[in-house]
Amino acid sequence: MLNTFDILETIRMIQDECLDIRTITMGISLLDCIDPDIDKACRKVYDKITTKAANLVKVGEQIEKEYGIPIVNKRISVTPIAMLAAACPNDNPVKFALALQRAADTCGVNFIGGYSALVQKGFSAGDLALIKSIPEALSVTTNICSSVNVGSSKSGINMDAVKLMGEVILESAKVTADRQCIGPAKLVVFCNAPEDNPFMAGAFHGPGEPDCVINVGVSGPGVVRAAIAKYPDASIDGIADVIKKTAFKVTRMGQLVGSRASQMLGVPFGIVDLSLAPTPAVGDSVAHILEGIGLEQCGTHGTTAALALLNDAVKKGGVMASSNVGGLSGAFIPVSEDQGMIDAALAGTLCLDKLEAMTAVCSVGLDMIVVPGDIPAETISAIIADEAAIGMVNNKTTAVRLIPAIGMQEGDMLEFGGLLGSGPVMPINRKSSAKFISRGGRIPAPMHSIKN
């Protein structure tokens, strides 16, 4: 039975508290598009995507009108392109990126993710060629996102891949320096990457997924912040209960939208990713939630504990609202996309080391962090290695999305606009990690990986 209070509460969440569905993402398998002739493979890729996702944007817009809730992005994720590139080793994988871009233009989606490789235990055919082509692919396209998984709790960390990704990130920033170094803003390096993540830039359609599926990513930091503000004197466990109840309501909205999109598109409903994903908009900040819990500013002592509380409560509330929870599901802390994080970084309260500590208890990792343009590639690799180690040891997904701001130094601001926001250039440790990174090889998986 419809409850008038619940209806009015949802309307208020949408109008005043920045509640939205951040994305509906259609995952599409391209395994049946593999062909040793890269031009034929690209035609198959374009044809399959534009057929499967022909009505994705239209359906998203219809659901927005039907339920009155904003769906910010309509996206597509595809099979890691390195798997397709393996069949045509003498060709430039960038041809696949251009085919994906044409498909994105035709379908009208915001992003396509899956210019990706999974190399946690080593490089197979197609992987190296794709990884080395990432800077070019991201520079000649606008809607393509890329990711590389370099480690897992079961296989350890591929340090050769870690070294290579430091070089790729730096090169990607250089070749897009005339466009605010946008290249690495569309590139994520993972440990324990999930196969059903609907959020960019790390989305790809894993080999274990169905041929086509709809995944939904919800959001609502503003809703959680507003709920906490109503209980200024509650105990910590009381705050946890407030967050759980709020996450339940937000996730139910995602469940509703995902089920409806699945029905209208005629494809299976995959998962709801209940991550709290901030934007630069006023009132839509994860940092402000932490400050609402009782911190003077995000980054001060107690921040990691408050974030652990938030992340756990979001998961507990979300899993009660849907049996389809998956993806990343937690709290994102992308610095440039969160006004509270930006303010804390500018004030010096939030630093790279504190962010690394926070990633041990949240989703996903060091996200949208701007670093000086003269950062050595080895230092980027070492930051990736540290973050991958946190994920590997703790059996969780971690990731790095760093943007070297070419020509900028600490304290400067790099402006992206839109959902990517703007980021202050954060200081880095200038002591060298070059010898460590140059050793190569693989960091073995931890003892607790032996579970069979």
Side-chain angles (χ1 to χ4, degrees):
M1 185 174 180
L2 291 176
N3 183 302
T4 304
F5 175 79
D6 288 342
I7 294 171
L8 292 174
E9 183 182 38
T10 302
I11 292 171
R12 186 184 68 253
M13 287 177 175
I14 294 168
Q15 291 181 339
D16 301 331
E17 298 169 5
C18 302
L19 174 63
D20 60 50
I21 300 298
R22 185 54 46 86
T23 177
I24 53 173
T25 301
M26 177 178 280
I28 302 173
S29 173
L30 300 181
L31 292 176
D32 55 351
C33 299
I34 293 173
D35 196 294
D37 184 328
I38 194 169
D39 295 318
K40 288 182 180 179
C42 287
R43 283 196 295 272
K44 292 179 184 179
V45 166
Y46 174 84
D47 290 343
K48 183 165 187 181
I49 293 172
T50 54
T51 299
K52 292 287 187 181
N55 296 317
L56 178 62
V57 172
K58 182 173 72 173
V59 164
E61 292 170 348
Q62 285 180 270
I63 293 173
E64 285 182 283
K65 293 175 183 176
E66 187 174 334
Y67 295 125
I69 184 166
I71 300 175
V72 179
N73 280 297
K74 293 82 178 176
R75 301 166 171 171
I76 296 168
S77 64
V78 299
T79 302
I81 293 297
M83 294 183 177
L84 282 71
C88 32
N90 298 320
D91 294 289
N92 187 349
V94 173
K95 285 189 174 183
F96 285 112
L98 295 171
L100 294 176
Q101 181 62 55
R102 289 194 300 273
D105 293 338
T106 300
C107 296
V109 294
N110 302 96
F111 292 106
I112 288 186
Y115 199 78
S116 307
L118 310 178
V119 296
Q120 57 267 25
K121 207 168 184 180
F123 302 102
S124 60
D127 291 333
L128 277 173
L130 182 125
I131 291 172
K132 290 179 179 178
S133 75
I134 288 173
E136 180 186 358
L138 296 181
S139 70
V140 299
T141 60
T142 54
N143 300 85
I144 306 306
C145 290
S146 179
S147 59
V148 177
N149 192 69
V150 299
S152 76
S153 296
K154 289 292 288 184
S155 58
I157 302 172
N158 181 350
M159 291 300 291
D160 294 313
V162 168
K163 179 179 186 296
L164 183 57
M165 288 312 300
E167 298 165 0
V168 166
I169 290 170
L170 189 56
E171 179 62 21
S172 187
K174 289 177 179 177
V175 298
T176 56
D178 59 337
R179 286 161 282 167
Q180 293 77 48
C181 304
I182 192 67
K186 299 183 290 178
L187 172 59
V188 180
V189 185
F190 276 118
C191 177
N192 289 323
E195 296 190 355
D196 56 3
N197 167 27
F199 283 103
M200 300 296 169
F204 64 88
H205 188 70
E209 291 288 293
D211 186 63
C212 188
V213 69
I214 283 290
N215 296 320
V216 172
V218 300
S219 186
V223 178
V224 176
R225 177 194 53 78
I228 291 172
K230 296 173 186 174
Y231 299 91
D233 301 316
S235 64
I236 286 295
D237 50 327
I239 290 295
D241 284 338
V242 170
I243 296 170
K244 282 189 288 186
K245 291 173 183 176
T246 307
F248 178 90
K249 296 173 185 176
V250 171
T251 305
R252 289 300 286 175
M253 182 64 76
Q255 173 78 19
L256 176 66
V257 168
S259 299
R260 185 69 176 130
S262 169
Q263 178 187 38
M264 294 173 72
L265 289 164
V267 300
F269 174 32
I271 58 97
V272 178
D273 187 319
L274 48 93
S275 297
L276 294 181
T279 72
V282 174
D284 203 23
S285 163
V286 169
H288 289 160
I289 297 175
L290 304 180
E291 291 163 7
I293 292 173
L295 305 174
E296 182 176 355
Q297 189 167 46
C298 178
T300 191
H301 304 296
T303 298
T304 305
L307 184 58
L309 164 73
L310 172 63
N311 206 55
D312 180 67
V314 165
K315 291 178 186 292
K316 287 175 177 173
V319 296
M320 291 298 293
S322 173
S323 59
N324 298 79
V325 171
L328 299 163
S329 292
F332 291 170
I333 50 172
V335 174
S336 79
E337 299 174 17
D338 185 311
Q339 188 57 54
M341 297 283 178
I342 294 170
D343 293 340
L346 288 171
T349 312
L350 188 64
C351 64
L352 199 56
D353 290 342
K354 185 60 176 178
L355 281 163
E356 182 182 300
M358 292 164 67
T359 64
V361 299
C362 81
S363 304
V364 172
L366 297 172
D367 197 12
M368 288 302 292
I369 295 173
V370 185
V371 293
D374 61 351
I375 185 172
E378 295 88 353
T379 300
I380 299 174
S381 296
I383 293 171
I384 294 170
D386 283 344
E387 195 61 24
I390 291 173
M392 176 184 71
V393 171
N394 291 289
N395 284 307
K396 70 182 295 291
T397 302
T398 52
V400 171
R401 187 161 48 147
L402 292 185
I403 300 95
I406 306 303
M408 294 188 178
Q409 299 297 324
E410 296 172 13
D412 294 339
M413 288 290 292
L414 186 62
E415 302 282 347
F416 296 109
L419 283 177
L420 295 179
S422 60
V425 180
M426 299 185 71
I428 58 170
N429 193 317
R430 292 289 179 175
K431 297 297 183 181
S432 177
S433 310
K435 177 64 177 177
F436 171 62
I437 296 301
S438 68
R439 289 182 182 275
R442 184 159 58 93
I443 295 179
M447 188 64 188
H448 61 65
S449 68
I450 305 172
K451 294 180 177 179
N452 294 333

